[in-house]
Amino acid sequence: MKVTVFGGGYVGLVTSACLAHVGHHVVCVDLDVKKVEMLRQGICPIFEPGLEDYLIDCQREGLLEFTEEPARAIEHADLIFIAVGTPTDEDGTADTCHVLDVARTVGEHLNDFIIVVTKSTVPVGTADVVKEEIQLVLDRRGVGVAFEVASNPEFLKEGAAIADFMKPDRIVVGTSSERVAELMRELYAPFNRNHDRLMVMDIRSSELTKYAANAMLATKISFINEIANLAEHLGADIEEVRQGIGADPRIGYHFIYPGCGYGGCCFPKDVRALQVTAEKLVISHACYLLYRM
C-alpha cells in the first residue's frame, strides 16, 4: 500500500520504517528541512535500537522516502497517518494544534478518496475535529472529495519500539466503516499472522484506550511506590511483597518495581490530560445539574 506519515518524530519514524520494512511504500513528511536531509542520509535524529538500520535499508530498497513537501506526499497516499506531537498545553490538556494543522493541509491538497488516521495520542473526540477541519477546507475550495477519518493509537515502548511494532500485542483501530477496517487489516496483515491481534472499535473508544493504558501503567508504578513507603516504615521487605502480589495473574509482575516514579515524554502528559478531561466532565455535569434545579 502507499502510505504517507506526517511527523518525523519518534512515532512517525518508527511507523514509517516498520511499514516500509514489510513492503509498503512510505513517504514521511516533516517540515524541518534539516531533519529531512539528515534522514535522507540515513542519520536518525533519535536513538532507538534498530531504527537507523531500518531507515537506511528501506531507503536503499526504494520503499521509504522523506520530504518536506506535503502536497506530493498527499498525492502519493492511499492512507495518511498523523503522527505529530501533542505536547501539554497550559491548562494541562493535550495541544492538538499540530494535528489540526495536518488536517487542514490534507484538505488543501486532497483530490481523491483517502483515509486519514490519527496515530498521535489525542483527546477523545479529536478525530471528529480532524474530520470537520478537512471538510471545512474542502468546502472552501469547492471540492467534493470523499474521505474517512480513523484512529489507530500507538503502544510503543522506548528502547523496544521496533519489536513492539513488528510483533504487537494488539492493534487498535477506531472506525465505523467496514471499508476502513478492511484496508487497515490489509495494511497490518504482515504484523498479524500468528493470531488476530487487530481490534476494531468505535473511534472514541480507540482514543480513550490509549489514555487508559498509559494511566493504568502509571498507576501501577505509583501504587507500588506507595506500598514501598509503607514497607519501609513497617519493617517489611518490599521485594518480597512485590513477588507475593505479582504471583497473582490478575496483577502480574510488570510495572510493579519500586523506584523514582514514572517519567518520560508520555506518562506525565497523558495522565495530566486524562485528569483534565475528567475534571471538565465533572464541571460540565455539575453545571447541567444546577441548570435543571
Side-chain angles (χ1 to χ4, degrees):
M1 295 177 69
K2 294 180 179 179
V3 180
T4 287
V5 177
F6 274 87
Y10 187 84
V11 175
L13 288 179
V14 173
T15 301
S16 298
C18 290
L19 289 176
H21 183 74
V22 297
H24 298 299
H25 186 192
V26 182
V27 175
C28 182
V29 186
D30 198 285
L31 300 182
D32 187 331
V33 177
K34 290 184 179 179
K35 181 191 284 186
V36 169
E37 189 55 40
M38 284 176 58
L39 289 165
R40 285 172 177 163
Q41 295 172 19
I43 303 171
C44 188
I46 60 172
F47 176 73
E48 180 61 40
L51 179 57
E52 190 164 271
D53 290 339
Y54 271 37
L55 296 177
I56 293 170
D57 293 344
C58 292
Q59 286 188 88
R60 185 186 299 122
E61 294 171 11
L63 292 170
L64 175 62
E65 55 184 298
F66 296 94
T67 183
E68 68 278 8
E69 300 175 9
R72 187 177 68 83
I74 292 168
E75 184 180 358
H76 154 87
D78 301 315
L79 187 149
I80 292 173
F81 280 106
I82 301 178
V84 294
T86 52
T88 302
D89 211 341
E90 291 180 1
D91 64 353
T93 58
D95 185 352
T96 58
C97 67
H98 301 306
V99 173
L100 300 182
D101 283 345
V102 174
R104 287 186 282 268
T105 300
V106 170
E108 289 287 352
H109 301 287
L110 191 59
N111 293 307
D112 293 298
F113 174 80
I114 209 161
I115 300 169
V116 180
V117 183
T118 55
K119 188 164 272 294
S120 304
T121 302
V122 293
V124 176
T126 298
D128 295 336
V129 183
V130 167
K131 189 171 185 177
E132 290 169 6
E133 289 294 328
I134 296 173
Q135 191 61 58
L136 282 171
V137 177
L138 289 174
D139 292 345
R140 190 167 64 242
R141 289 173 57 202
V143 177
V145 180
F147 66 95
E148 293 277 2
V149 175
S151 168
N152 175 219
E154 53 82 18
F155 300 97
L156 306 176
K157 298 188 296 291
E158 289 187 16
I162 297 294
D164 286 344
F165 200 105
M166 299 299 292
K167 295 182 179 179
D169 44 26
R170 79 281 210 195
I171 303 166
V172 173
V173 174
T175 183
S176 57
S177 165
E178 285 293 329
R179 181 181 185 182
V180 172
E182 286 307 309
L183 284 170
M184 294 296 282
R185 284 190 184 279
E186 181 183 344
L187 177 79
Y188 280 112
F191 311 97
N192 201 30
R193 289 177 175 165
N194 206 8
H195 62 273
D196 190 6
R197 299 176 175 89
L198 197 138
M199 304 176 183
V200 179
M201 59 186 70
D202 66 89
I203 291 176
R204 286 178 174 245
S205 295
S206 172
E207 291 171 329
L208 183 56
T209 295
K210 170 62 178 180
Y211 278 108
N214 278 3
M216 174 58 76
L217 295 174
T219 299
K220 291 186 74 174
I221 294 169
S222 297
F223 176 80
I224 197 64
N225 280 344
E226 291 298 325
I227 298 299
N229 287 334
L230 280 174
E232 185 174 349
H233 289 287
L234 295 171
D237 185 335
I238 187 57
E239 177 60 20
E240 292 183 358
V241 173
R242 183 189 71 79
Q243 292 189 35
I245 64 174
D248 187 330
R250 297 171 300 174
I251 298 171
Y253 293 103
H254 294 299
F255 282 78
I256 58 168
Y257 292 89
C260 62
Y262 63 82
C265 61
C266 294
F267 281 10
K269 78 176 182 69
D270 291 350
V271 169
R272 178 61 179 146
L274 189 62
Q275 177 187 348
V276 171
T277 296
E279 289 170 351
K280 287 182 176 180
L281 286 173
V282 169
I283 293 169
S284 176
H285 185 61
C287 290
Y288 172 75
L289 293 176
L290 287 171
Y291 175 77
R292 291 291 301 273
M293 290 176 65

